[in-house]
Amino acid sequence: EAGVAQSPRYKIIEKRQSVAFWCNPISGHATLYWYQQILGQGPKLLIQFQNNGVVDDSQLPKDRFSAERLKGVDSTLKIQPAKLEDSAVYLCASSLTPLAGGTNIQYFGAGTRLSVL
Amino acid sequence: KQEVTQIPAALSVPEGENLVLNCSFTDSAIYNLQWFRQDPGKGLTSLLLIQSSQREQTSGRLNASLDKSSGRSTLYIAASQPGDSATYLCAVFTGNQFYFGTGTSLTVIP
């Protein structure tokens, strides 16, 4: 079974530039998550999709971050413009269902490490 | 708001020792708790998932316990090996969102 695919693995940009990350979840997983993990901290949820609809984006800095999941499969996360504090690893995860009664084990991609200079 | 804390932040043990990692959470209204492993430069791998109605789960040398009423979970690793060196994170699921701890960085010395 193929895992969650993310690209690129690494990205270095200057502040005020734009950047986009791509995620392809495990086939059949309806739920997709984007997390931000700053060095030394646990992952923080940015946005959660159920199919192509947004379930939770309460912690997404909407003035500069945007995400979409067209057709309920692949997803992209964009930052425009980037700030120094956006330097982090951006993790994508997917699960079959977010519901408590189901098996909501999350499967994570390897992440994209972003450095903003 | 749910807050998840992990103690200690870092742990170094000689190979072969049994060890315990701790996770505490402030709101006991959770559906389940997961323990993850994260290797440097890689994503997270789910190790164990404990539903709120369960007390513990076991997988090989790993045993995770859950005391929901006191807001605590422990991950027990038996007979530690150098390959166990990684960061271990716990996460609680509240029904609509996961909250992660900051992790315990484990080093097993050969």
Side-chain angles (χ1 to χ4, degrees):
Chain A
E1 176 183 85
V4 176
Q6 289 188 249
S7 68
R9 287 298 312 277
Y10 306 93
K11 191 72 177 179
I12 301 174
I13 62 173
E14 295 185 351
K15 60 182 180 183
R16 291 188 288 275
Q17 285 187 325
S18 301
V19 65
F21 313 128
W22 174 82
C23 173
N24 180 240
I26 292 174
S27 178
H29 281 195
T31 309
L32 184 146
Y33 313 80
W34 281 104
Y35 290 89
Q36 179 192 59
Q37 186 176 24
I38 294 173
L39 186 65
Q41 299 182 18
K44 182 185 81 171
L45 180 70
L46 293 176
I47 189 166
Q48 177 182 335
F49 291 95
Q50 176 73 6
N51 295 310
N52 61 350
V54 175
V55 173
D56 185 345
D57 64 356
S58 57
Q59 299 191 89
L60 186 73
K62 298 180 184 63
D63 59 332
R64 298 184 300 107
F65 286 64
S66 64
E68 60 182 9
R69 191 183 184 197
L70 299 176
K71 301 180 182 179
V73 182
D74 293 4
S75 177
T76 56
L77 176 69
K78 298 179 181 178
I79 307 175
Q80 180 180 9
K83 293 185 176 181
L84 297 177
E85 58 261 36
D86 298 333
S87 295
V89 175
Y90 290 85
L91 296 165
C92 178
S94 69
S95 66
L96 280 170
T97 169
L99 301 177
T103 303
N104 62 347
I105 291 177
Q106 294 183 87
Y107 297 86
F108 282 79
T112 296
R113 183 175 298 276
L114 173 67
S115 296
V116 182
L117 306 178
Chain B
K1 180 185 173 184
Q2 179 74 262
E3 291 186 4
V4 182
T5 305
Q6 290 187 247
I7 295 173
L11 182 63
S12 184
V13 300
E15 181 178 2
E17 273 202 6
N18 303 324
L19 58 101
V20 175
L21 307 180
N22 297 292
C23 173
S24 61
F25 45 96
T26 55
D27 189 343
S28 61
I30 66 169
Y31 281 96
N32 60 50
L33 182 145
Q34 281 185 243
W35 282 93
F36 292 86
R37 168 183 174 140
Q38 186 172 32
D39 293 282
K42 297 187 178 181
L44 282 68
T45 301
S46 181
L47 298 173
L48 290 165
L49 183 150
I50 312 176
Q51 299 289 357
S52 62
S53 59
Q54 296 175 322
R55 296 286 294 182
E56 65 178 324
Q57 281 285 340
T58 299
S59 176
R61 295 182 295 106
L62 305 179
N63 176 276
S65 67
L66 174 65
D67 184 343
K68 197 175 77 163
S69 60
S70 67
R72 294 178 184 174
S73 176
T74 60
L75 179 66
Y76 175 84
I77 303 177
S80 58
Q81 304 171 358
D84 296 331
S85 298
T87 296
Y88 291 81
L89 296 117
C90 67
V92 298
F93 181 61
T94 60
N96 55 20
Q97 189 172 143
F98 289 90
Y99 292 88
F100 281 83
T102 53
T104 293
S105 177
L106 172 66
T107 301
V108 180
I109 303 167

